Every structure is written in structure tokens, then in C-alpha cells.
Amino acid sequence: MVNGPPHFTESTVLPRESGKNCKVYTFSKDGTLFAWGDGEKINIINVTNKRLLHSFNLPKAVCLEFSPKNTVLATWQPYTTSKDGTAGIPNLQLYDVKTGTCLKSFNQKKMQNWCPSWSEDETICARNVNNEVHFFESNNFNTITNKLHLQKISDFVLSPGPQPYKVAVYVPGSKGAPSFVRLYQYPNFDGPHAALANKSFFKADKVTMLWNKKATAVLVIASTDVDKTGASYYGEQTLHYIATNGESAVVQLPKNGPIYDVVWNSSSAEFCAVYGFMPAKATIFNLKCDPVFDFGTGPRNAAYYSPHGHILVLAGFGNLRGQMEVWDVKNYKLISKPVASDSTYFAWCPDGEHILTATCAPRLRVNNGYKIWHYTGSVLHKYDVPSNGELWQVSWQPFLDGIFPAKTITYQAVPSDVPSEEPKVATAYRPPALRNKPITNSKLHEDEPPQNMKPQPGNDKPLSKTALKNQRKHEAKKAAKQEARSDKSPDLAPAPAPQSTPRNTLSHSTSGDPEIDRKIKNLRKKLKAIEQLKEQAATGKQLEKNQLEKIQKEKALLQELEDLELGI
């Protein structure tokens, strides 16, 4: 355990645990308790007074979680059955943190969603059991107070915040019936009109449900395992918005491709989505699912709002180079663009000032370590694991909301003692024939710049991407026309058309009149065909009579094309 900024010295709260069997740890939600496993026991200490509270004999435990108010410690170990096929012993234990007694044991076969879900005040606790959601009250796990029974509930998420508690449930589709997500208010589960909202969709093998902090709406990322169009390896994703007042919508994403990440701002009034084939787009939407600000395109696949919601980091981790873009969300200004190469983990410090990035095993087994950054791009602390070691887990000590006040955003890089490392830029391979020639910069994709999508005064609606493109074209044509007029002198006749125009110099403008555009398109098609015939003739191929006639018409076609384009 290490002290946070600005010291980074080893903490005296936890004596260093050097055993090789330490595979799990967790903090409580308020950061006052710390539990870890050393391969023999699960130990709990009080971070404030460094006192060991309890040790539980659980050598195989691999998951730990505290309830929101530190009343219960939940532990999970892999489920095993005996050789004769009889049911295994319960593997999910719930311990009373105060007394150290085991309150209840359950059988929980899957590691996924192993932990029971508590409301923030611990009044209710819920578990998904055999396609039902079982509710317990006041941490009394011997009595099931309520059940939410729908056919084959696959997943559920309790809402954050105070009463009234709400729950979002997902039921996958079967036999031609669609999948659906429903929102309920606890404990009103019965009757045909009990649901607060319902959204059904066909394209969903699995879903991710994200409540906003105020528990007024849920974002649902519905994904299929296979994209039937063959456009993506990642399957197909759609983003849905469901509000507790019954409203629902499909969030229209302007670029096709996977949805990499969706995050709510802590204000609960907007969310950010990162989506589309690389280079990916990132857009902030409001609660009407209208785009508010578009960050353009870039190498990114993740988004992280700061705890206070005033800074947004867009990052490209995993198979991307680790470039981060740190944005001031209020003014939509770029603060810094640091690079955290090979990062597999990212976390904001609860103070909203510092960032933790890490390279952990098993995702990457080399160059493991972590870095602490200031959001202005300075590395304040760096730790590299020795070459024969691996880093498995790293995290900040949590704090409750409101402990750290939001500070004014600074754009000036914070001074640091850690020497800055320039990321190694790999030069592109150049074939021998091109090595002594000047380098030409060619891009596979044209990057789109950021743009504010909020309606400007006088405009009712933000322009769509196509409308903006057409507007820019129209303005460019207008400027070209004025230039041509100013160049021409009234007493001079227009210069005669050149005998032959190379194909690549033909203008690609559009007139706005569909009939003229169609004629221009047909003329270009004919000229291209003539060009191909000329090339065939040059190689010595014998042309037919009608093909030779086509070539003779080239001059007339060029003249006609020029007349049409000058009329634009």
C-alpha cells in the first residue's frame, strides 16, 4: 500500500504482504476498510487505526466485496461438486463485519455476477437465482421478502441512490420473440402495468445496463455475438435509452461500427459514447438523445468522466497505442494529450485531479507497472515491476462523494520530478525504390475535427454531417465563381476549351440540380470508357468500328461536359 500524491511513500497501514499466494484484495466503498487474501485466510483491517478486525479461514477465495455501509463482507470461491455427483458445499459466504460471524452461505456456480446487489442504504439486497430475482431486507438473508419472476431473467441491475429503489431486468429473446429490458419500482412487480418502462429489441445476445446517478434513466448496450453483414468481428451493437417515466429511444449514432464504450456524466444529464469503425467517433448526448458535442474521430475505444464530471478522458487502450485526450467538458477545450503506452487499466483518483494507468497481467505479461498522472499530462510517479514479476491488480483508495471539492480546471502542465519519456515512434516501412525520394504524407482516413452540435442562436436544429458537407461545398463553389468573375475582363472572349483534358483534372462539383448532375455523371462515365479504349489501342489491340467512333466523339463530349460545369 502506497501513500497517494504528493508523497508516494510506502504506507504503514498495511505491512507489505510478500507471499506468492496473495491473489485478491478490496477496499470498502468509503475506503475505511481493507480486505485481502494471503492464500490461507481473508483478513480485514481498519485503514484509519491499522487494527486487524477479522481473519476468515478461506484459502480458495478469489472474489471479495464489501456492502455499501460496511456491514457485510461477501466472499466467493470456485464451485465444486463431489465425485459421486452430489451437490457441492455453498461457495458464496456473507460475513458480518462487526461480529465476524457467517450470516448466510449460498450456492453460486458462476463467477459472473457472483456478488449480491445492495441498495446504497442496505435496506434491500438482491440475487439472481434460477431466472428469478430474490430480494432480502435489512440484511436478513434467511427470509426472501420479495421475488421478481419473469420467464428467464438473465441479468438485473439495482438503481443507485436513495428510495424509491428501482430495478432494471433483462430477458433474452427466444423462439422468435424479442429480448426486452424492463424497469420496475421496488416492490411493485405484479400486474400487467407494474413496469415503469419497457423496451424490446431483436438484435441482442447480451446486454449491458447502465443507470445514471439520479436513477432517472438506463442506457442499454445490446450486442450480438455475430455481425450477419460481415462488417465487424465484434458482432453488432445498438444503444438504447430508457427513462423511468416510460420514454424510450434508440440512440442514433452517426458512424457505423462497434460501440466501444458508453459512460454517464455524474450530473446524470448527459452521456458520452465511443463508437464506429476506427478511427472511432466520440459524441456527448443529452437526455433527448440529441448530440451536444462531437469530438471528431481518433484512435480511441474508452471514455472516463472525472468523479465531479467536469473532465472527460478519451483513450485508446488495449490494441491501440494508449493515446489519451483530456477535455474540459464545460468549455469543450482540449487540456492535454498524454500517451500511456501498453496500458490495460485506467482509474480516476476520487480527488478528480489525478489519474492512474497500469499495465497488468494476464492481459500483458511484460513491462508491467503503473503511473500516476496529473490530468494536465505530467507523470508524477512511476513504478515498474521487476522483469521476473507481474502486476495483477492496482487501484485507488475510494472516498465517498463530497469529500474532495471540485477545483478549477488548469491548463498549465503541473511540474514533475519524473523525467518525461518521449514515446518511441516506429517509422513506417519504405521499399528500397522509395527510400531516397521525398516522403509524401498520405492518410488512410481523413480525421474529422471536433464540432459543437448545440443549436446556435437562430438555428433550430444542428446541421447533419451531410448538410454540413454540402454547405462547405456550396461556399467553396461560390468563392470559386467570384474568383473566376474577377479574373475575367469584360472585353475578352472566353478562352477556347483545351483539346484534351486529363481525367484527374475533371471537376467533381455538384450543381444542386439532379438532372444536370445525372448528365455530368453520364458524360464522365463515357469519357472514362473512351480513355480505357485508348489504352487498349496503345497496347496494340484491334478495336471495333463502334469503339473507334466512340473515341472520335471525345472532343464533343469534353466540350459538353465543360459547358455543363461552367453553368454550375
Side-chain angles (χ1 to χ4, degrees), residues 369-510:
Y370 66 84
K371 288 178 186 172
I372 310 266
W373 308 70
H374 189 266
Y375 66 77
T376 51
S378 312
V379 178
L380 304 180
H381 178 65
K382 184 179 178 214
Y383 173 76
D384 292 323
V385 173
S387 57
N388 59 344
E390 290 178 348
L391 179 67
W392 291 341
Q393 190 181 355
V394 55
S395 56
W396 292 103
Q397 177 188 11
F399 283 86
L400 294 175
D401 291 347
I403 301 281
F404 293 99
K407 291 183 183 173
T408 316
I409 292 174
T410 173
Y411 287 80
Q412 191 66 41
V414 167
S416 164
D417 300 331
V418 180
S420 62
E421 293 176 8
E422 286 298 315
K424 292 173 191 169
V425 180
T427 52
Y429 169 77
R430 301 199 60 178
L434 295 177
R435 278 174 195 169
N436 299 323
K437 293 183 179 175
I439 295 171
T440 54
N441 285 328
S442 59
K443 281 188 173 182
L444 275 174
H445 306 278
E446 205 55 53
D447 284 343
E448 289 178 28
Q451 62 184 48
N452 200 331
M453 308 293 278
K454 276 184 181 170
Q456 300 304 315
N459 285 355
D460 293 339
K461 232 181 172 185
L463 290 172
S464 69
K465 191 174 152 187
T466 320
L468 277 165
K469 219 173 186 178
N470 289 341
Q471 191 182 2
R472 282 198 286 265
K473 271 186 182 175
H474 187 67
E475 283 163 5
K477 272 181 221 157
K478 219 174 181 182
K481 243 186 187 180
Q482 282 169 348
E483 220 173 275
R485 276 182 195 148
S486 61
D487 287 349
K488 276 184 190 176
S489 152
D491 54 3
L492 283 177
Q499 288 305 305
S500 113
T501 313
R503 179 78 193 100
N504 59 0
T505 60
L506 291 176
S507 161
H508 278 259
S509 53
T510 57

Side-chain angles (χ1 to χ4, degrees), residues 353-369:
E353 294 264 305
H354 299 90
I355 288 167
L356 167 69
T357 63
T359 306
C360 299
R363 181 72 174 81
L364 280 174
R365 295 193 184 273
V366 291
N367 301 337
N368 282 189

Side-chain angles (χ1 to χ4, degrees), residues 13 351 384 410 533 559:
V13 171
D351 69 356
D384 292 323
T410 173
L533 290 172
Q559 184 64 54

Side-chain angles (χ1 to χ4, degrees), residues 91-336:
N91 61 322
L92 167 58
Q93 268 84 27
L94 302 175
Y95 290 94
D96 187 320
V97 173
K98 210 171 190 178
T99 62
T101 55
C102 184
L103 296 169
K104 187 74 177 173
S105 296
F106 293 107
N107 284 340
Q108 173 65 37
K109 292 182 181 178
K110 289 182 181 173
M111 189 177 181
Q112 190 184 359
N113 301 332
W114 70 271
C115 189
S117 294
W118 279 272
S119 60
E120 275 181 20
D121 59 5
E122 293 191 15
T123 303
I124 62 168
C125 177
R127 284 186 72 225
N128 189 356
V129 184
N130 299 332
N131 303 319
E132 290 182 335
V133 183
H134 291 182
F135 291 88
F136 306 93
E137 289 188 0
S138 307
N139 286 324
N140 175 9
F141 295 101
N142 294 313
T143 311
I144 298 169
T145 319
N146 264 297
K147 282 186 185 180
L148 172 52
H149 177 74
L150 288 169
Q151 203 174 357
K152 293 189 177 171
I153 290 178
S154 169
D155 197 6
F156 79 97
V157 185
L158 272 185
S159 66
Q163 294 187 9
Y165 313 115
K166 301 175 192 90
V167 59
V169 293
Y170 163 61
V171 176
S174 59
K175 296 178 184 171
S179 307
F180 61 84
V181 168
R182 276 186 197 157
L183 310 186
Y184 289 93
Q185 186 168 307
Y186 181 84
N188 309 326
F189 301 140
D190 298 323
H193 305 294
L196 299 172
N198 179 56
K199 178 85 178 147
S200 55
F201 27 78
F202 278 99
K203 289 185 177 179
D205 293 323
K206 57 179 181 286
V207 303
T208 306
M209 295 176 282
L210 307 164
W211 279 101
N212 63 2
K213 205 172 179 182
K214 289 182 181 170
T216 56
V218 176
L219 287 170
V220 178
I221 307 164
S223 358
T224 59
D225 296 329
V226 177
D227 182 354
K228 287 179 181 170
T229 63
S232 169
Y233 290 122
Y234 303 99
E236 225 176 329
Q237 288 92 17
T238 47
L239 181 59
H240 305 266
Y241 169 88
I242 312 170
T244 50
N245 63 5
E247 289 177 4
S248 66
V250 178
V251 182
Q252 299 295 336
L253 302 174
K255 188 172 184 180
N256 292 331
I259 298 171
Y260 304 102
D261 201 6
V262 179
V263 279
W264 280 105
N265 189 326
S266 56
S267 68
S268 297
E270 60 184 34
F271 58 92
C272 178
V274 183
Y275 59 92
F277 295 113
M278 286 295 162
K281 271 178 97 71
T283 309
I284 289 179
F285 296 88
N286 61 18
L287 294 182
K288 291 179 181 174
C289 301
D290 292 330
V292 176
F293 189 82
D294 190 322
F295 294 98
T297 56
R300 50 172 90 109
N301 54 14
Y304 307 93
Y305 274 108
S306 66
H308 304 98
H310 62 328
I311 298 173
L312 174 69
V313 174
L314 299 173
F317 294 143
N319 56 357
L320 297 175
R321 286 187 180 176
Q323 183 178 301
M324 298 189 282
E325 297 165 55
V326 184
W327 286 84
D328 171 350
V329 176
K330 196 177 177 187
N331 302 306
Y332 296 118
K333 272 188 181 174
L334 188 65
I335 301 168
S336 62

